[in-house]
Amino acid sequence: MKTNRTVIVQCRLSSTRLPGKALKDLGGNSVLARVLSAMKNVKADYYYVATDEDSYEQLLPVCRENGFECFAGPLDDVLLRFTMLLEKLKTKTVIRATADNPFLFYEAAEESAVLFEEKNKGKGSCDYLTFSGLPHGSGVEVFSAESLIKAAKETSDPYDHEHVGPALYNHKEKYKCEFVPSPRRYDFPELRTTIDTYSDYLRAVSIMTYLQKKGYEAPFSTEQIVEACRSNSVKFPVVLVPSVVKGHGTGHLRRCLSAAKQGGFFVYIPDDNTLTETEAIISEYIAAGLSKNQIINSIPDESYLPAIITDTFELTENQLKELSKNRSLISIDEGSRFTDYCDYLLDIIPSYQCERPANINDSGFITMPENIREASSAERKVENVLICLGGEDPANLTVPAAKAFMRKFPQAKITAIVSNEQSPYVDYAGGPNVEFTKPIPELREKLYEFDIVVTHYGLTAFEAVYAGCGVILLPTTKLHKKLAEKYNFAYVGEKEISVSALQTALDSKNLYPEKILNGEKKDLGEFLRYLANGKRLCCPVCGKFSETPDEVISRNETRTYRRCSKCGMVYMAFTTLEDKKYQKSYFFEDYKKQYGKTYEEDFDSIKAQGIRRINIIKNLIGSAGETLLDIGCAYGPFLAAAADSGINPFGTDIAEDAVSYVQQKLKYPAVCSEFPEIDTAEEFGIAQFDVVTMWYVIEHFKDLGSVLRKVSSLIKKGGIFAFSTPSGEGISAVSDKDHFYQISPTDHYTIWEPGRADSILHQFGFKVERIVSTGHHPERFPSIKKCGAKPGSIKWKMTDMFSRAKKLGDTVEIYCKKI
């Protein structure tokens, strides 16, 4: 049935930002093929690709394979290219798409064409129409062929000729052009699906990987494309950076490729890598299901910032600095001295001596084999031996080991894995029971076939233990020897592998180690996805990242804390957790978990603390204190304390139920508002207050600099700013720093140290007048823990006095004056 429509896809291969992008592979088909497949679903009489003469020959086969004609015209005058094509066709309506948009909403294209035709029925007219609000890269333009030919003859504007649509919509005095808000189904302006740069291409690869893993078939529906764009794998891209340096073995590369296959991550392989086995190993994983699009040779730029996860043995400072620029850096088993650059450290393989702490140390993330040997008898026979010293064998121990085992077990079958570079079968005419072979695909699942596995300290050693094999380690380095000793492996300690040394290892009680690995089996790919969703945070006071990394103060499983090199504040610099919502549950369930009663049940005791604080404030400000604003007022106990002392209280909080309680039950003026956005002049009719307070609130702000500037603007000169917060100089922090940060609430973004408070607050116009150490807990002192002294005892009382004298309370109140 004739439609009087023509679909034209605009394409060229000479893009300066990403040359040849139309022919780049995207999940097994070219980008152009993906575009043509989608646009073929739009009803039309003709389907054309409009290209330039230089691109024509390369594009023609793709066009023909997808049912499109190919037309060549000028390279730079795209408008002329279109009109030349249109003049040879008898068509009314043109639906234009571009070849860099592989995820077109073809349903929207069809709907917009129908709408355009409806507007041209009867006496109506429309020269140009497009839906606005679609993802950048998912839309098309619909226009009149006759109008475009006419407009082309009337304009000499270079911009009009470089493009197509502007010849119409830049001249609305002559042509009726409509930018129609897209139907709700297509309205996702925040999404980006076009391919303009290399980073865009990687985003498209992520989208395609997600769609294919879900089993969706092209052409993809609007809902499927939106689902993919909103998925974590697309929103939070991950680039794995394995070691591909000669001498570091192949375990790093294999671990990354395995995680990438599982999690849909990219793997960065630089063109100048020196690992001989790189291509063969990558081919092995591609054959097992890894997409070749996931292997990249450059890191995406700022337009598609990924989390970088390194698995590199040891990086230089310059490498770490470059990789951490403007993005999260997570490192696996990183052995360098410059790990302050790393936002998160994951240690999987137990190390020998590692002075720096990791966020988590868990060998459960080693991917263990599914195939396990049956429980062996008391007398184990040695019939099959595997010698596997990594992909490279840098110490050249494969042949000596083969010779020693051949002599020891002349009837056993000995399999020795060698790299492509090695050719021991030429230099060493071994016995009939020795077979040299190239690396074995999926070796992990074949280890159970061997009675003895000879290797060095690394992944294969742990996998072989788990598979139930006897394991003997060889000393490829001095460090490997120390590691073998530390973790109770049987090993040959010298590079001269004599039969007697081999016998000693075979007689070792550690030949079949049982308790090397701890913890349950865990999914590395899933955990890396979880880490990649983490948030990297700058100093809340200064509001920016340092050029060199701030010193790491503490690491734990979900967070990393640093000290700002500029202002000295300790802050949460990385977290894997979602932001906490301060709703009713926060004041009831969460509060009760911590203190044994709800916030409302604890109202009177909190108010009593408020009365004490008000007395301190009144001593500092005198009779001038008439108005007080309590930020984060919760259910209002401090407002009640202020009112009882004759001060006019005002409150603000972000929890609606808390503010309603203050307004309706306590009858104090309060407003539900985020701080520092509140306009107190509009809400309360007061621009400046005599006193502003925050009780256990200040630590919850990620943007503390703007908060303190706002507080300063709200306080009259000579007025008081008072707040309480956990102390980074209390006994808990002093005696067990890492435990203190581990139990620190996950929504506390700053840790205040009283000794540094004045210098930080001075930047915002305040001078500290008084510091009160609170939250004294003798039971948290190591001496009390050791001797078990009870409350009321002399030891307990003396410790409590010492804590107060030295201001070692775990919380602190800071009172300062606006100067």
Side-chain angles (χ1 to χ4, degrees), residues 234-245:
V234 174
K235 286 166 56 182
F236 305 106
V238 177
V239 173
L240 301 175
V241 182
S243 173
V244 281
V245 177

Side-chain angles (χ1 to χ4, degrees), residues 685-740:
I686 302 175
Q688 287 192 313
F689 298 81
D690 299 300
V691 181
V692 173
T693 57
M694 292 183 188
W695 306 113
Y696 298 108
V697 171
I698 199 167
E699 62 275 8
H700 293 274
F701 290 108
K702 293 179 185 176
D703 57 343
L704 189 52
S706 63
V707 167
L708 291 173
R709 281 187 288 274
K710 177 73 170 185
V711 169
S712 184
S713 73
L714 289 173
I715 300 178
K716 298 174 184 176
K717 187 176 181 180
I720 296 297
F721 172 42
F723 64 93
S724 60
T725 187
S727 172
E729 293 175 348
I731 186 59
S732 293
V734 170
S735 63
D736 192 344
K737 174 174 63 74
D738 289 328
H739 181 256
F740 170 79

Side-chain angles (χ1 to χ4, degrees), residues 3-17:
T3 64
N4 281 320
R5 294 180 184 174
T6 297
V7 168
I8 303 178
V9 175
Q10 180 180 319
C11 182
R12 67 186 175 101
L13 295 176
S14 56
S15 167
T16 54
R17 284 184 289 270

Side-chain angles (χ1 to χ4, degrees), residues 351 353-358:
S351 61
Q353 284 181 331
C354 199
E355 295 179 1
R356 56 98 180 131

